[in-house]
Amino acid sequence: MSQRELKEAFISNLNGTSLGEVAFGSFLTPLCFINRGLVWILYYQAKGTVPLPFPWISHFVLDFCMIVAPLVLSCTMLSDILHLVILALALVSGAFQWYVYHAKGNPAAVHPQTVTSKNFLKSHVQSGRVPMVTVFRVLVNIKTAISILAVDFNVFPRRYAKTELYGTGVMDFGVGAYVFANALVSPEARGRTIVGSKMNHIAKQLMTVWPLLVLGLIRLASVKMTGYHEHVTEYGVHWNFFFTLAIVRVVASLLLALFPVGHSWIFAVLLGGLYQSALETTGLKSFLLHNNDRTVDFVHANKEGLFSVPGYIAIYMAGVQVGLYLMKPRTLVRDYFRVIFNLLWGSGVLYGGLFLCQATVEPVSRRLANLSFCLWIVAQCTFFLACLALGDMALLMLQRKSHCYLVPSAWNPHEKDKDSVAEGKRRSMDRFCLYQAINRNQLLFFLIANVTTGLTNILVDTFSTSDYVSVSVLLAYMFINCGAVHILHLFKITVKFW
């Protein structure tokens, strides 16, 4: 077999992992998020001020070590002991939180206050900020960037890779979560009203997706011209994920322009159900899974990419509904605890529907983007959002106890007499924050990751490298990707093509 055939075989015919392992992995990033915030709080307790001004590289290295490096290690060398890693991080976090709660002589606490659960619930947070949405979207991008290269190394567990027919791999979740993350901050989810006629709005949406179409064409041309390995059963011969993102955005915008945005969940359910009915009552499922003749026409050549679009539109519509709920103005802490409860409740209901669907209809299939896949993606995304929100609440409680009111990319307490002063420091902290850097240029980050993945595969023999070398390459690769967008963020450069 040629090198290309070996690489294609290496990522083919896989069955994924369990639903429980994917869900359990949701606890890792909130713990990393809390521990990163604890570094700021502990520094504040020791010095009486936030770490500003520090060289930008120190902020970048801290964020990289606290956010990116654990994600790289968790899906490579530490994947088999992930439960122990999460337990260790939880113990470290708990120990430092205990220290913060019992620390004496806080230089900032001129008038010490007892932070009880009652007055904490009645306290306010800054309005207009929903950090868990930003953090969710950034983490999905980071995990996606890691996985698209890591999957070519032996150190990456095969159970985490995309499945062939049925199953739940971590990368399967990443694909759906990327669509869901885009929907969370769509214009419809943010409550933007249509200005002018609906036809003009639809035409505008058509114009906004042209960068995705161009990127899809560039990827298609580069893959075919270089002979780069590709897994044809993912999307087809000519199709790729950029095309899917573009079509989903246009069709969803059309539906949301014609029908009430507040009922987008209804369209998600109807579309997912109707598509599943088509799979069950026609020969569509057999065609998608077992017809291997790709020479007939464009549809046969790209059947996976074309026919999975309804499933991704359903996920997008559900994401719009969740985003619309999360973006509602709130200031009280207890209101956000209600949000967390509703996210967990909704996730539980969706998981119940998933188990019923798997038992009575068919298992999860990313290749089909069937109803089980849609239910799984939305259930896991809402659970992940709830975990991130709980982590943010833990940090908020620690901020009130320590009087450190400035943790980047986190909820910050609302203090009327301090907000005007703190806003300048907050902007300075956000300028050095890796979360904000990736959030500013998310599409560019994804594009850079695709380019550097291709270059790494050309320069490095991913089959023969040892585990330590593989992890070192992955860390260097992510350091370059993150560093590129971080530098752009320092200079306040947003790369937008439309």
Side-chain angles (χ1 to χ4, degrees), residues 31-102:
L31 287 170
C32 294
F33 180 75
I34 293 173
N35 290 340
R36 168 183 170 271
L38 280 168
V39 171
W40 284 76
I41 292 172
L42 292 171
Y43 183 93
Y44 182 82
Q45 285 197 319
K47 302 293 185 179
T49 183
V50 293
L52 288 173
F54 266 35
W56 72 270
I57 190 66
S58 61
H59 290 273
F60 176 70
V61 171
L62 172 65
D63 279 353
F64 186 85
C65 292
M66 299 297 291
I67 302 167
V68 181
L71 292 178
V72 173
L73 295 172
S74 69
C75 67
T76 52
M77 298 180 69
L78 302 180
S79 59
D80 291 332
I81 56 169
L82 183 59
H83 58 292
L84 297 178
V85 173
I86 291 175
L87 178 61
L89 287 173
L91 291 174
V92 170
S93 176
F96 280 118
Q97 289 184 54
W98 183 91
Y99 174 80
V100 169
Y101 273 105
H102 296 85

Side-chain angles (χ1 to χ4, degrees), residues 392-408:
D392 221 336
M393 281 298 169
L395 270 184
L396 185 64
M397 186 76 168
L398 291 169
Q399 289 182 74
R400 286 203 170 275
K401 179 64 178 177
S402 65
H403 294 261
C404 175
Y405 293 161
L406 295 170
V407 175

Side-chain angles (χ1 to χ4, degrees), residues 410-440:
W411 267 312
N412 292 299
H414 173 67
E415 299 287 336
K416 291 182 179 179
D417 58 334
K418 297 178 182 179
D419 275 0
S420 59
V421 178
E423 187 60 32
K425 288 186 177 180
R426 188 172 300 111
R427 283 196 295 266
S428 297
M429 290 190 306
D430 285 346
R431 182 167 174 254
F432 298 114
C433 177
L434 182 58
Y435 280 120
Q436 298 299 328
I438 297 175
N439 185 55
R440 178 188 285 268

